Amino acid sequence: MVPSSKALPLGSLLVVVVASALTASTVPAAADGSAGGPALEVTQVIYPVIDTDVHGTTTVPSHWLPTLEVANGGTPDSPESRASYLRFDVKSNIPGTLKDARLEMTLKDPAAAGPTTLTTGFVNNDTWVPTRERAEQPQFEMTGATKLPATDIAGTSASVQVSHGTAKYSAQVGQAALSERAGDGKLSLRVTADQVDPGKVLSFFSDEGGIGDQRPHLVLTTVLTDPKEISDVKQAQRDLASAQALLETNKTATADLPLTSRALSPEAVAWSSWDSDVISDDGKVTRPQKAVGDATVKLDVTVTNGPIKLTDRFEVNVPALETAQTPPASPAAKVETVELEPTVNTLITEKWSNQFNHVQYPQQNLANELTVAPGGSIQAAIDSLAAQGGGVVRLTEGVYTVGTRINLKNLITLVGAGRDYTVIQYEGTGTAIGTTQRILSDVVVKDLTLKGDRGSANLAHGVLLEGVDPVASRHSRIALQNITVKDFTVHGVHMKRSSNIIMSNANIHQNGSANGLYHNVYWLFDNNILQSDVDMSNPVRGKGAKYTSTSNVIVQRAQIRNSTVNGVQADGANDDKILFHKFDITGSGKTALWFIAEIFSNPNQYTEDTANAPRDVIISESKITGNKRGGVWKIASNVTVLNSTFANTDSDLLLMKSYPTLENTTFTHPPQYFTDPSQVPLF
């Protein structure tokens, strides 16, 4: 799977897939092409690379929401007014000569259409005021106070038309698209309401909120004359039609989906699941337990043939098991010992002379135990046991809906019936699991799933533990075992100023939907970390894992797949002694291993200081394959790579004043060395 098949988040600048599902059969044109063959007129759909809405003059930005709103409150700055902004790339991966373009948006509730007139405007300034111009993925969080002006496009004033139960707004924007195609290819549009009932808000599907052509899109008509382009388009059309037919007949899945069907070209078709615990990218279906309930999963498909990329999105229902299954055994509350692979111990001895601080395990009070069933208070049980010197809060199977932070306290173990059986569904803001204690120690969370609300406006972390002071007030001895943390708008797991952290047998994925600064896992000013058997794949907008100012870190048997930008980032003062053993990173849209010298609090300033770059790093028996770039390392020192494989698309290692030791490691592209920072990527 390639990262470009992921849904493109609101506010994102990243342009990875712009050519989308062919919506009509190709039609031969009468004119002759320059190559001497007949021209071909094709119709295709592209989806926005950014879409957001702004409310009046509010200074609160909209985040990754399932709808785009349009309303007229009397004046553009009225608190009741709404305007939707969309940007499309009308240049990249779209062959041929552009003939026409039409914007289409689908209303969520057709009954709400009414006598409404909408108008589309052309936005000349499409910089969209990034909040971090040199961030890995600049954020475009437009607010009412910073909304951009637009010039109305003649002929686009129209009402929402209802046909066969679907309500659509349509606007011809061909001239604007032609103008931008001749320029930078960025077509920015604003949709406003000319007439609407007072107080009435029209909610359209956003790019994230819909499937198929529910999503806002441009219908492009282009004329192709190049025989190779015509051939590529036809093949891509056939593959996409096969994928569409496959999913059309599998809207409900109780068994594995044949996503690798022989009807498809396997090297050309890639799938991306929005919930890989239920449907994996290769089609494996895991039905939820009866106590957890049915699941609905979106699947994105990307078809690639030559320069042509077509995409579509489907929704698959996965019913829960009809019969309740008893968990195999009640999970033990005792924290599990994680065995280090012999190679890890050998490397620490040989490369670092055993100068390494290993993790300390949490202490536990296993004598006290309280059981909580769905509907009961997890917090009341924690508070009761904390008053008794700690203990075990045991959650039975089922779904626990929680709206406020679960406040951990010292010597508390929170254990479920297994991550497939016990789900904490968090519907609040801030953080699902955290603490109010200045110093938290000896806590264990295990055998459960912690789930956020990916399409929500709520900004929430999964697990957030922040020590107050890096010396005097550090959290310590924390274990997360046999858990899944997914669908949070901010970080999945974020720990600051903490020591002795164990994360094992954990799936931390599909987090960070609010913006590109949020990741699946983010360690900051932490030390003595052991991660084993962890999957940090599919971060929505940020990275799989970020190690900033961390030390004494072991990551063994881990994987990160399909990061929109970078897989791993390591940076910051005291970022030293990090050992990656059997790390599999693939599908990063930019760089798999991003080791940089820039200070995290000032990313716009290149820093020629080895103190701010990773040092004493070991990469062992790892596979860094199928990414755009394998590694970009800036003045990283004392790095050893051994028994590993690098095989990436653009480059394997770009080394800025970084001279790693490479032992028994293979490359598709030879490492490149630089001394000029302008010659290596800024982000």
Side-chain angles (χ1 to χ4, degrees):
M1 196 215 88
V2 293
S4 55
S5 63
K6 301 177 83 57
L8 290 172
L10 298 186
S12 163
L13 176 64
L14 189 64
V15 181
V16 281
V17 172
V18 292
S20 292
L22 217 58
T23 58
S25 299
T26 55
V27 180
D32 287 339
S34 58
L40 196 68
E41 185 176 285
V42 299
T43 302
Q44 63 192 81
V45 169
I46 65 171
Y47 300 107
V49 292
I50 306 172
D51 62 346
T52 188
D53 54 29
V54 294
H55 297 191
T57 56
T58 179
T59 57
V60 179
S62 295
H63 295 277
W64 202 87
L65 302 179
T67 61
L68 295 174
E69 295 182 345
V70 179
N72 188 335
T75 66
D77 291 339
S78 167
E80 291 77 30
S81 289
R82 308 283 190 270
S84 292
Y85 286 79
L86 308 96
R87 183 193 293 169
F88 298 88
D89 186 331
V90 294
K91 199 171 189 177
S92 301
N93 300 326
I94 303 174
T97 301
L98 183 63
K99 181 177 179 180
D100 194 18
R102 182 177 73 254
L103 171 68
E104 290 189 352
M105 298 174 66
T106 302
L107 197 63
K108 290 199 71 174
D109 180 10
T116 302
T117 302
L118 305 180
T119 297
T120 297
F122 172 72
V123 181
N124 184 57
N125 177 1
D126 56 12
T127 60
W128 287 36
V129 195
T131 57
R132 292 186 65 199
E133 292 185 8
R134 289 181 56 189
E136 306 85 346
Q137 190 177 0
Q139 302 312 304
F140 296 89
E141 297 173 343
M142 197 188 307
T143 71
T146 61
K147 64 180 180 292
L148 300 173
T151 302
D152 290 348
I153 299 174
T156 61
S157 293
S159 60
V160 176
Q161 299 296 310
V162 181
S163 176
H164 303 291
T166 300
K168 286 186 179 291
Y169 166 67
S170 178
Q172 291 296 135
V173 295
Q175 192 58 47
L178 280 168
S179 173
E180 291 305 305
R181 189 169 169 88
D184 63 7
K186 297 175 182 177
L187 173 62
S188 295
L189 303 172
R190 182 191 69 184
V191 178
T192 55
D194 297 330
Q195 301 171 10
V196 68
D197 297 337
K200 183 176 181 179
V201 176
L202 297 181
S203 293
F204 293 87
F205 286 101
S206 72
D207 183 56
E208 302 295 343
I211 59 173
D213 66 357
Q214 289 177 336
R215 301 152 66 187
H217 57 270
L218 284 183
V219 181
L220 299 179
T221 302
T222 58
V223 178
L224 279 61
T225 56
D226 183 280
K228 179 65 167 60
E229 289 179 343
I230 292 173
S231 174
D232 287 340
V233 165
K234 287 183 175 180
Q235 181 60 54
Q237 177 188 8
R238 287 191 290 269
D239 280 332
L240 187 61
S242 296
Q244 291 166 330
L246 187 157
L247 265 297
E248 185 64 28
T249 58
N250 288 276
K251 290 182 178 179
T252 297
T254 56
D256 292 350
L257 295 172
L259 299 186
T260 55
S261 166
R262 292 183 181 178
L264 305 174
S265 304
E267 72 282 359
V269 181
W271 298 88
S272 175
S273 170
W274 284 38
D275 190 342
S276 52
D277 294 312
V278 179
I279 302 178
S280 68
D281 291 344
D282 60 5
K284 179 177 174 54
V285 173
T286 302
R287 295 175 65 180
Q289 296 296 319
K290 185 176 182 179
V292 174
D294 300 344
T296 300
V297 180
K298 291 178 182 177
L299 283 175
D300 286 343
V301 62
T302 297
V303 171
T304 303
N305 196 278
I308 311 301
K309 290 185 188 233
L310 312 178
T311 74
D312 206 350
R313 180 179 300 154
F314 311 91
E315 204 164 63
V316 179
N317 298 315
V318 182
L321 295 168
E322 292 90 351
T323 304
Q325 293 185 343
T326 303
S330 181
K334 183 175 175 56
V335 67
E336 300 169 18
T337 300
V338 179
E339 296 294 335
L340 295 180
E341 291 209 1
T343 299
V344 171
N345 287 317
T346 299
L347 289 171
I348 290 173
T349 299
E350 292 181 352
K351 304 298 182 181
W352 294 337
S353 302
N354 283 326
Q355 299 300 305
F356 186 87
N357 295 325
H358 286 279
V359 70
Q360 299 175 15
Y361 280 73
Q363 301 176 30
Q364 294 176 278
N365 182 346
L366 302 177
N368 297 334
E369 184 169 310
L370 291 175
T371 299
V372 179
S377 173
I378 298 173
Q379 192 60 56
I382 290 174
D383 294 344
S384 175
L385 291 172
Q388 303 173 49
V392 177
V393 177
R394 186 174 293 277
L395 306 181
T396 62
E397 61 183 304
V399 178
Y400 296 73
T401 302
V402 177
T404 58
R405 174 181 53 194
I406 296 173
N407 184 20
L408 294 176
K409 298 184 178 180
N410 293 344
L411 286 165
I412 291 294
T413 294
L414 182 64
V415 58
R419 63 175 141 208
D420 293 333
Y421 296 88
T422 299
V423 177
I424 298 175
Q425 175 69 60
Y426 190 66
E427 297 183 347
T429 60
T431 182
I433 294 180
T435 188
T436 58
Q437 292 190 183
R438 184 176 179 85
I439 300 177
L440 178 73
S441 62
D442 302 305
V443 297
V444 178
V445 179
K446 65 193 301 284
D447 298 290
L448 55 82
T449 287
L450 184 62
K451 187 177 185 303
D453 188 0
R454 180 171 164 181
S456 171
N458 294 336
L459 295 181
H461 301 260
V463 177
L464 173 63
L465 296 173
E466 302 177 277
V468 177
D469 183 89
V471 177
S473 301
R474 296 181 71 87
H475 299 322
S476 185
R477 297 187 298 277
I478 301 160
L480 306 176
Q481 295 189 318
N482 312 328
I483 66 169
T484 293
V485 181
K486 64 182 181 180
D487 293 337
F488 283 90
T489 52
V490 192
H491 304 295
V493 174
H494 183 24
M495 295 195 192
K496 298 181 185 178
R497 306 176 192 92
S498 300
S499 301
N500 301 303
I501 305 164
I502 298 168
M503 176 187 285
S504 63
N505 191 23
N507 294 330
I508 318 295
H509 48 217
Q510 289 153 335
N511 301 287
S513 58
N515 71 49
L517 302 180
Y518 298 146
H519 319 296
N520 277 336
V521 177
Y522 186 11
W523 311 114
L524 178 60
F525 306 127
D526 299 324
N527 55 44
N528 306 356
I529 301 170
L530 172 57
Q531 291 181 269
S532 182
D533 302 284
V534 292
D535 185 338
M536 299 174 284
S537 298
N538 298 306
V540 178
R541 294 176 66 178
K543 303 174 183 67
K546 190 167 186 286
Y547 302 83
T548 295
S549 297
T550 58
S551 62
N552 297 291
V553 178
I554 295 173
V555 182
Q556 67 173 13
R557 298 189 302 271
Q559 71 172 1
I560 296 175
R561 300 183 184 279
N562 312 321
S563 296
T564 303
V565 282
N566 301 325
V568 165
Q569 178 171 331
D571 63 329
N574 303 315
D575 208 54
D576 61 356
K577 289 192 173 65
I578 302 175
L579 195 161
F580 296 131
H581 178 65
K582 292 184 178 179
F583 209 159
D584 184 352
I585 306 178
T586 188
S588 301
K590 290 193 175 179
T591 304
L593 294 169
W594 180 247
F595 296 172
I596 59 172
E598 288 84 352
I599 301 172
F600 81 99
S601 59
N602 186 15
N604 294 334
Q605 179 66 49
Y606 174 75
T607 309
E608 191 74 36
D609 186 346
T610 55
N612 295 316
R615 55 192 178 275
D616 297 316
V617 178
I618 299 173
I619 300 169
S620 164
E621 296 182 37
S622 294
K623 295 179 181 179
I624 313 301
T625 60
N627 309 281
K628 180 177 181 180
R629 298 184 289 256
V632 175
W633 301 350
K634 302 179 184 181
I635 61 175
S637 58
N638 299 325
V639 180
T640 300
V641 184
L642 63 164
N643 303 319
S644 296
T645 300
F646 285 71
N648 302 283
T649 305
D650 288 6
S651 61
D652 283 340
L653 276 181
L654 303 181
L655 302 167
M656 164 59 196
K657 294 187 179 180
S658 185
Y659 307 96
T661 300
L662 307 175
E663 303 176 9
N664 194 32
T665 293
T666 61
F667 298 90
T668 297
H669 308 279
Q672 301 175 60
Y673 296 85
F674 304 90
T675 57
D676 181 353
S678 67
Q679 296 179 318
V680 295
L682 289 172
F683 43 82

